[in-house]
Amino acid sequence: MDFEQLRAFYTLAQTKNFTKAAEMLHLVQSTVTMRIKQLEEKVGKPLFVRDKRSVEITQAGLTLLPYAERILRLSQEALNEVASLQPYEDYLSIGSLNSIWTSTLEPILKEYHARYPHIAISTKTGHSSDVIQYLLDNVIQIGIVYVPPSLPNFEVIPTWEDEVVLVCCPNGPFATVSEVHTRELRNLPLLYMNWGPPFNEWIRQTLPRNYMPRLHVDKAELAIDLIKEGLGVSLLTRSAVKADLAAGNLKELTLVGDKPPKRSAYIVLPRDKKNKPSVEKWLGLMKEFGYST
């Protein structure tokens, strides 16, 4: 497929207006129209329904859209990687979850940046599924995730286990509680974080079938801020709360009973990239910080 046709298609899908799409692409409107028509001829189906007032994407267009986005993103990443080699000797791109960057990888990244000034680095953040897609699209060379994929030609390395702990505000109503049995979680103002399998299975067995958390958050940092404000308690990974526990900003409540399973983290990388110098240096640095590689 022609890149310029895909770029016109993607831009029109975002703007739903030929005039705005032409302005964004710095083209005349007739050129955008021609490129969309050529792409529609190539795929054999209309991609948009047009009238005098609006442009709506068709089902065929919706099917094509994520592929167009990936192709355009990959082309830009390829250009960035090549460009980054000047004046640098090598390039490294790493993807992980926001919580892992904040709690674990940030000091490693800082040390890598200081130790290897001739290597350009880029980071990507997303859910585990996003990081795996970045790997498949060759957007990143190393992924660090909580959910291990089963992929041919990729190496998956267990690297650390993270305990899930119950924390509260040190000045809140639960600060005087010495321990909490897991069956009592249903009666607490739980700020619910979904830590994925096998945590999901454990929480389903621990809480009533019809349990609905009043507040469901998707970022550990947000949960921590809300706990400090006294909104409730939460089950969070120890790495995420380690600094706040040490500073006295949070208090850990001892869990008794059937405790939540530990959360395992994995390094995922293509086998043919493991001996790349920039990758070897990153894995070596993680080992220096005490993580299995």
Side-chain angles (χ1 to χ4, degrees), residues 6-286:
L6 284 176
R7 190 169 284 111
F9 162 73
Y10 179 76
T11 305
L12 183 58
Q14 304 305 309
T15 61
K16 296 184 179 181
N17 184 286
F18 275 94
T19 302
K20 290 181 180 178
E23 290 174 355
M24 290 181 65
L25 295 167
H26 305 290
L27 299 170
V28 295
Q29 186 173 326
S30 60
T31 301
V32 176
T33 302
M34 179 187 67
R35 289 178 179 176
I36 296 299
K37 183 178 179 181
Q38 290 171 338
L39 184 58
E40 288 178 325
E41 290 173 353
K42 193 168 293 182
V43 301
K45 292 181 181 293
L47 300 172
F48 297 96
V49 177
R50 311 153 175 87
D51 60 33
K52 292 182 179 180
R53 294 185 177 182
S54 65
V55 177
E56 294 296 332
I57 192 167
T58 64
Q59 186 58 50
L62 289 171
T63 302
L64 178 62
L65 186 59
Y67 294 97
E69 184 177 10
R70 285 167 61 188
I71 290 168
L72 294 171
R73 186 177 70 229
L74 275 173
S75 67
Q76 189 59 52
E77 289 287 340
L79 292 173
N80 291 344
E81 183 159 353
V82 173
S84 71
L85 295 178
Q86 297 294 335
Y88 303 102
E89 297 175 356
D90 207 345
Y91 171 81
L92 179 67
S93 183
I94 311 158
S96 192
L97 287 73
N98 185 69
S99 59
I100 293 180
W101 279 119
T102 304
S103 64
T104 304
L105 298 183
E106 187 175 326
I108 302 174
L109 179 66
K110 290 177 180 177
E111 178 62 25
Y112 191 96
H113 180 259
R115 191 179 297 189
Y116 305 112
H118 300 301
I119 298 178
I121 316 162
S122 70
T123 66
K124 297 286 284 185
T125 303
H127 297 293
S128 287
S129 57
D130 299 322
V131 175
I132 299 306
Q133 190 62 58
Y134 295 148
L135 283 164
L136 291 170
D137 289 342
N138 203 32
V139 171
I140 60 174
Q141 298 148 342
I142 298 175
I144 301 172
V145 296
Y146 281 128
V147 181
S150 178
L151 297 171
N153 304 319
F154 281 81
E155 189 160 342
V156 179
I157 307 168
T159 185
W160 77 82
E161 285 190 327
D162 212 346
E163 186 182 7
V164 177
V165 296
L166 182 66
V167 294
C168 69
C169 175
N171 302 316
F174 301 99
T176 58
V177 176
S178 58
E179 61 181 34
V180 174
H181 198 284
T182 52
R183 64 172 173 262
E184 297 172 10
L185 289 173
R186 67 190 70 187
N187 301 317
L188 299 181
L190 188 64
L191 307 181
Y192 182 74
M193 271 285 299
N194 183 349
W195 292 109
F199 177 84
N200 283 342
E201 183 178 346
W202 173 83
I203 204 75
R204 281 196 299 268
Q205 294 174 352
T206 302
L207 298 176
R209 182 172 297 179
N210 61 348
Y211 178 83
M212 176 64 70
R214 185 180 176 191
L215 188 52
H216 189 165
V217 297
D218 65 349
K219 286 184 65 176
E221 294 83 0
L222 176 58
I224 290 170
D225 287 342
L226 296 176
I227 295 167
K228 291 177 182 178
E229 294 291 329
L231 268 69
V233 302
S234 189
L235 290 160
L236 301 173
T237 56
R238 185 172 294 282
S239 62
V241 298
K242 182 179 179 181
D244 281 300
L245 287 174
N249 299 323
L250 295 176
K251 178 184 176 182
E252 180 180 351
L253 301 174
T254 302
L255 274 174
V256 295
D258 183 19
K259 294 184 180 181
K262 291 182 179 180
R263 202 169 193 216
S264 299
Y266 303 85
I267 298 171
V268 185
L269 70 164
R271 290 193 178 97
D272 60 356
K273 297 285 179 68
K274 190 171 183 181
N275 295 325
K276 190 172 184 276
S278 59
V279 172
E280 286 185 330
K281 288 179 171 61
W282 176 268
L283 296 178
L285 194 55
M286 284 195 70

